[in-house]
Amino acid sequence: MKIVVIGGTGLIGSKLVKLLTARGHEAVAASPNTGVNTLTGEGLAAALQGAQVVVDVANSPSFEDKAVLDFFETSGRNLLAAEAAAGVQHHVALSVVGTERLQGSGYFRAKLAQEKLIKAATIPYTIVHATQFMEFLGGIAQAGTEGQTVRLSPALVQPIASDDVAAAMADVALGIPVNGTIEIAGPERVGLAALVRRYLAAIGDARTVVADAAAPYFGVQLDDASLTPGDAPRLGAITFETWMTQQ
């Protein structure tokens, strides 16, 4: 099959293109770096010509409320219209576990708007909700840092390695559309503050992590259900310790 990966030069997209190519498919990395821009529509029709599947793993370059909403709405409309014109048979999108529960955050409001566009379109789809990537732990720590203190929620998370995300996305892209949402998560459920403490210790970072239930996570307060999956997620195999040895 021809499978176009929107955001195909990024963290997940580049891994996904390699996996799909190794399985014998024509995987096209589509991003502004390769001349395909979903915001302006540049190069989109040509990239989608003959494609059976489109996988959207692109992310907004800005998390500011208006900018991120504009990105996902404009990109989503342009991409879905181009897919309909090209006869694409399966739209796969990467989103976040807890999106519908975290609507106090502009980012999650934008992701929900993206999902609504997908569901309202005529193209068969699968939305994949992933938990937090282990690769983002440094950014999460930085977002909670004040001086030498990192203040983070103790709420439970179930982080997943990007390699496991890419593997799951490849399987979904090669499967039949579910016209619904599936969840993927890492193998271990752990408190966010405790996990970041382990991460900083492992990289020799001397900052002190303080567990604070009132500490916001990108603008919203968390509880143990906010970022954790339901009863039957697809679980990745890579543990935090294994992931750290690979860094």
Side-chain angles (χ1 to χ4, degrees):
M1 288 192 295
K2 179 180 177 180
I3 303 169
V4 177
V5 180
I6 305 297
T9 59
L11 173 65
I12 303 299
S14 58
K15 294 175 186 287
L16 178 56
V17 167
K18 288 179 182 178
L19 287 174
L20 293 170
T21 301
R23 295 192 193 186
H25 299 279
E26 180 188 355
V28 178
S31 73
N33 292 340
T34 65
V36 181
N37 190 321
T38 54
L39 283 177
T40 64
E42 177 191 358
L44 198 51
L48 296 188
Q49 187 173 4
Q52 288 82 36
V53 180
V54 170
V55 185
D56 185 3
V57 295
N59 207 357
S60 173
S62 169
F63 283 14
E64 186 274 326
D65 284 5
K66 183 179 185 302
V68 71
L69 182 62
D70 286 347
F71 175 86
F72 282 118
E73 287 192 329
T74 302
S75 176
R77 289 192 183 101
N78 287 342
L79 181 56
L80 290 163
E83 288 177 26
V88 169
Q89 299 160 23
H90 188 185
H91 178 95
V92 181
L94 181 61
S95 193
V96 189
V97 164
T99 289
E100 70 285 356
R101 298 188 288 272
L102 297 170
Q103 290 299 291
S105 159
Y107 180 80
F108 290 105
R109 288 196 297 273
K111 289 300 289 182
L112 189 62
Q114 178 193 31
E115 293 183 22
K116 287 180 177 177
L117 288 172
I118 294 166
K119 292 174 182 178
T122 59
I123 301 158
Y125 71 91
T126 304
I127 296 170
V128 179
H129 273 189
T131 54
Q132 286 59 45
F133 301 169
M134 294 181 192
E135 284 79 3
F136 293 168
L137 288 174
I140 291 170
Q142 190 58 40
T145 295
E146 300 171 1
Q148 287 300 301
T149 299
V150 184
R151 198 171 298 278
L152 292 170
S153 171
L156 292 176
V157 293
Q158 201 165 330
I160 187 169
S162 63
D163 283 345
D164 281 337
V165 176
M169 295 300 289
D171 288 344
V172 171
L174 299 176
I176 61 173
V178 302
N179 292 317
T181 301
I182 65 172
E183 293 185 318
I184 61 174
E188 179 187 10
R189 193 168 284 203
V190 60
L192 179 61
L195 178 65
V196 171
R197 189 178 294 116
R198 283 161 60 187
Y199 170 73
L200 294 181
I203 64 172
D205 191 314
R207 282 177 289 176
T208 300
V209 178
V210 174
D212 180 356
Y217 177 82
F218 297 102
V220 293
Q221 284 191 342
L222 303 178
D223 60 34
D224 285 345
S226 298
L227 295 173
T228 48
D231 294 334
R234 167 174 167 155
L235 296 180
I238 301 171
T239 65
F240 172 76
E241 285 74 20
T242 299
W243 176 78
M244 281 302 309
T245 66
Q246 299 168 348
Q247 303 312 300

